[in-house]
């Protein structure tokens, strides 16, 4: 489960990075806001589907706003990337505190009755597990098709590889970057929903904790490269599940950083970046 | 009265352009013209501001003074992505292809602003650059330097530009590739494109250029037909060298 959720979160993060060169430290809050949106809508409508859509929509709009109000605004002024990076950290705390004001700092429960577990292969599954895996695979497939085959997807890659050349080719890089953040926000908001479903409780710093693991996975795979990131996320996710299952979930973060440290020492540009034929770009 | 035919509108006219990167201007009050079916060259020492001039024309940096016209209509200050639609294509000196896109995708991006005919245009350009056709599905970063330059030219040509601006297309290439690049540029010129080119190899460039400008310290210094400048003592002393 962690692997599936992590790969969605990490791909969204890496897309944000790809078109702006800014590591968005408020990425976790997209997941958190997605989770709260899902909770609110679920309570009102009683529909998990409506909750999922609300999470994605809230995430998309939040990411769009982050890009327009902070990231793009600073980029246009020629602000150094490091400063923008710090600004997104500030934004993260602002959003967390707004959530505390609105919803309180305490954990809220978000449990969906998932029915009796059943056996499939060597594992025990619940309906929620299945929903998470299947939806993550479907979203991944759709993202792959968009990024590799559509005109927008090619423009996205062009902007990420060389913004000036994209512009002189006639691509409006600002529009492509905004649309990419929106798309990433949809995915991250939905990831917040399934993470909340799978954990069962959350609070305003919920996404921030998961973001640290997301960062590990994205950097391990190769930042800014959608499908390398995804493979990195799956490996880190499976490793974490292993540690969580056999040692203690309390060591998750420490273990994630250990993986990151090893990767940075051995392959500073990411596990798959120098592979002759990279999975994607 | 001497009734002279009115001079045809220049494909590209730059008048008194001043631009830089936020600090003091790098180019000041520069004026140039480029005509359809001609190669126009800009030569001058390193750091003279040649690349900066091209970036200002292409809309990547905003001029602080002066005007730019494409085929008679003013485009001053328009952003790069809009200028492509006005028929102005720019090929930067370095980082002039999308490394992780395939050759075909690079060309598709070059034709991003076309409403139709992308596929047909790619086929036409494969005739002009046969080397690219065989490797259409390879990533651009697997190409040799010469092939990469060909791809960069072809990407710029995707929009059927009236004006093609080239920043040192043969820089860093082996001499035999430089010759091939000049052949392509001559072929492009012959299709009635206005080619504006910067080059390091001043002698070779002046041989090809119908008209050339010498830019020094960000300002116009001299201009004239390429062949005349080749015989100009100052130009030869400063930028060509007597033995080269
Ligand atoms: N991106 C930039 N930011 C600031 N200054 C620049 C930039 N690019 C070039 N310059 C400066 O502008 C001047 C002219 O450079 P350039 O236009 O590249 O000259 P040329 O192409 O004739 O060699 C140089 O002094 C260079 O340092
Ligand atoms: Mg230059």
């Amino acid at each position: 489960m962690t692997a599936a959720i992590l790969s969605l979160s990490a791909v969204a993060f890496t897309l944000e990075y790809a078109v702006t060169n800014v590591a968005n430290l408020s990425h976790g809050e997209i997941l958190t806001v997605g989770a709260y949106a899902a909770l609110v809508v679920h309570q009102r409508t009683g529909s998990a589907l409506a909750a999922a859509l609300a999470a994605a929509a809230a995430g998309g709009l939040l990411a769009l706003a982050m890009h327009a109000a902070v990231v793009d605004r600073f980029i246009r002024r020629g602000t150094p990337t490091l400063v923008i990076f710090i600004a997104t950290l500030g934004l993260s705390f602002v959003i967390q505190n707004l959530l505390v004001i609105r919803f309180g700092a305490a954990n809220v429960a978000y449990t969906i009755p998932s029915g009796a577990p059943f056996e499939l292969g060597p594992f025990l599954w619940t309906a929620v597990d299945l929903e998470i895996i299947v939806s993550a695979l479907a979203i991944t497939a759709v993202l792959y098709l968009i990024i590799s085959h559509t005109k927008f997807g090619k423009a996205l890659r062009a902007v990420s590889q060389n913004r000036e050349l994209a512009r002189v080719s006639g691509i409006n890089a600002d529009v492509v970057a905004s649309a990419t953040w929106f798309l990433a926000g949809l995915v991250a908001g939905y990831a917040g929903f399934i993470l909340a479903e799978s954990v069962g409780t959350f609070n305003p710093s919920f996404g921030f904790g998961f973001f640290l693991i997301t960062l590990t996975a994205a950097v391990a795979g190769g930042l800014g490269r959608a499908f390398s990131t995804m493979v990195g996320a799956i490996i880190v996710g499976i490793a974490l599940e292993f540690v969580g299952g056999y040692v203690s979930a309390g060591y998750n973060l420490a273990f994630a950083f250990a993986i990151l440290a090893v990767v940075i020492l051995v392959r500073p540009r990411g596990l798959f970046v120098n592979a002759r034929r990279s999975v994607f770009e | 009265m001497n009734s002279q035919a009115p001079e045809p509108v220049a494909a590209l006219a730059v008048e008194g352009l001043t631009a830089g990167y936020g600090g003091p201007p790098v180019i000041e009050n520069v004026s140039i013209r480029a005509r359809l079916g001609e190669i126009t060259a800009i030569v001058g020492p390193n750091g003279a501001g040649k690349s900066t001039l091209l970036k200002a024309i292409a809309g990547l940096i905003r001029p602080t003074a002066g005007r730019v016209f494409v085929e008679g209509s003013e485009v001053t200050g328009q952003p790069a992505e809009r200028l492509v639609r006005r028929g102005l294509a720019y090929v930067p000196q370095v980082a002039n292809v999308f490394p992780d896109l395939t050759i075909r995708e690079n060309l598709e991006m070059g034709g991003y602003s076309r409403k139709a005919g992308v596929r047909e245009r790619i086929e036409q350009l494969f005739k002009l650059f046969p080397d690219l056709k065989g490797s259409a599905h390879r990533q651009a970063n697997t190409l040799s330097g010469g092939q990469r330059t060909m791809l960069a030219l072809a990407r710029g040509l995707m929009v059927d530009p009236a004006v093609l601006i080239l920043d040192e297309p043969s820089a860093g290439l082996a001499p035999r590739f430089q010759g091939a690049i000049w052949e392509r540029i001559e072929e492009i010129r012959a299709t009635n494109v206005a080619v504006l080119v910067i080059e390091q190899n001043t002698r070779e460039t002046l041989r090809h250029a119908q008209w050339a400008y010498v830019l020094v310290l960000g300002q116009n210094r001299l201009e004239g037909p390429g062949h005349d400048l080749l015989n100009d003592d100052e130009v030869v002393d400063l930028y060509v060298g007597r033995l080269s």
Side-chain angles (χ1 to χ4, degrees), chain A residues 148 151-152 154-155 157-159 161-162 164-174 176 225 276-278 280-281, chain B residues 58-60 79-81 84-85 90 92 95-101 105 108-110 112-114 137 139 142 155:
Chain A
S148 61
K151 189 172 178 183
F152 165 70
K154 290 173 193 173
R157 286 185 284 150
V159 169
Q161 288 168 33
N162 188 336
E164 280 204 347
L165 192 65
R167 291 189 57 208
V168 302
S169 299
I171 298 169
N172 190 326
D174 298 333
V176 169
R225 289 161 186 264
R276 194 90 191 108
R277 271 197 168 270
S278 56
F280 197 53
E281 47 159 283
Chain B
L60 288 173
E81 56 270 23
V84 193
R85 291 168 173 78
Y90 162 72
N96 51 17
V97 299
F98 299 107
D100 294 339
L101 297 188
E105 286 171 337
E108 285 171 6
M109 290 302 103
Y112 190 84
S113 60
R114 286 186 78 106
H137 293 288
Q139 288 191 342
T142 65
R155 186 205 56 77

Side-chain angles (χ1 to χ4, degrees), chain B residues 173-206:
Chain B
L173 296 182
R176 65 199 167 93
F177 285 119
Q178 296 185 3
I181 297 283
W182 273 115
E183 274 174 34
R184 290 297 97 73
I185 294 175
E186 287 287 2
E187 285 170 30
I188 294 164
R189 178 197 66 74
T191 60
N192 206 30
V193 173
V195 181
L196 177 64
V197 61
I198 292 180
E199 267 299 352
Q200 292 244 309
N201 184 339
T202 306
R203 179 180 290 273
E204 179 75 12
T205 309
L206 293 179

Side-chain angles (χ1 to χ4, degrees), chain B residues 21 26 45-53 55 168:
Chain B
Y21 301 92
V26 172
N46 247 329
K50 304 182 295 294
S51 296
T52 304
L53 171 62
K55 282 185 208 163
E168 298 199 20

